[in-house]
Amino acid sequence: QVQLVESGGGLVQPGGSLRLSCAASGSIFSIVTMAWYQQAPGKQRELVATISSGGSTSYVDSVKGRFTISRDDAKNTVYLQMNSLKPEDTAVYYCNAMVKDRISLMPLPYWGQGTQVTVSS
């Protein structure tokens, strides 16, 4: 069993910054990929950023140059540094990890509980 715990959300003014964290724990053999998704009310969950086990990153066009995803393998933690925040970034942000557990060694998706990010004056 694997669990992901998120933190770092909150209320910030336009142009401000937040740093989200997501720590994985449990029966982990390895973490293949980690990602952040955003979901606004009434909208589908959308992929924002991904990072591979080798450190390769990708971003949705709307956040390129503003958000940075990173990972600390020693802590099984992924981060999302969010700069120059805009009101349209307001959403619940969910951490996702493709994790190989110690028994099956097959990658399965796990989700964090979500953390609210609100960008408003």
Side-chain angles (χ1 to χ4, degrees), residues 44-107:
Q44 292 189 343
R45 192 170 299 183
E46 298 181 347
L47 181 64
V48 174
T50 64
I51 185 165
S52 72
S53 59
S56 298
T57 60
S58 64
Y59 302 90
V60 68
D61 286 344
S62 61
V63 309
K64 287 181 179 178
R66 300 189 298 120
F67 292 8
T68 302
I69 188 171
S70 61
R71 62 191 288 170
D72 184 342
D73 290 336
K75 297 180 179 180
N76 287 327
T77 299
V78 63
Y79 305 94
L80 187 67
Q81 179 66 48
M82 309 166 69
N83 298 327
S84 302
L85 282 162
K86 304 175 180 179
E88 49 263 46
D89 297 320
T90 296
V92 177
Y93 284 74
Y94 294 91
C95 175
N96 170 269
M98 293 294 293
V99 180
K100 293 182 178 180
D101 68 48
R102 295 178 180 177
I103 304 302
S104 72
L105 300 180
M106 295 293 292

Side-chain angles (χ1 to χ4, degrees), residues 5-72:
V5 179
E6 301 180 33
S7 63
L11 175 65
V12 66
Q13 295 183 353
S17 298
L18 285 173
R19 185 175 185 250
L20 307 183
S21 299
C22 174
S25 62
S27 183
I28 298 171
F29 179 78
S30 66
I31 301 176
V32 180
T33 61
M34 305 186 84
W36 289 96
Y37 291 74
Q38 63 178 202
Q39 187 168 22
K43 303 292 182 65
Q44 292 189 343
R45 192 170 299 183
E46 298 181 347
L47 181 64
V48 174
T50 64
I51 185 165
S52 72
S53 59
S56 298
T57 60
S58 64
Y59 302 90
V60 68
D61 286 344
S62 61
V63 309
K64 287 181 179 178
R66 300 189 298 120
F67 292 8
T68 302
I69 188 171
S70 61
R71 62 191 288 170
D72 184 342

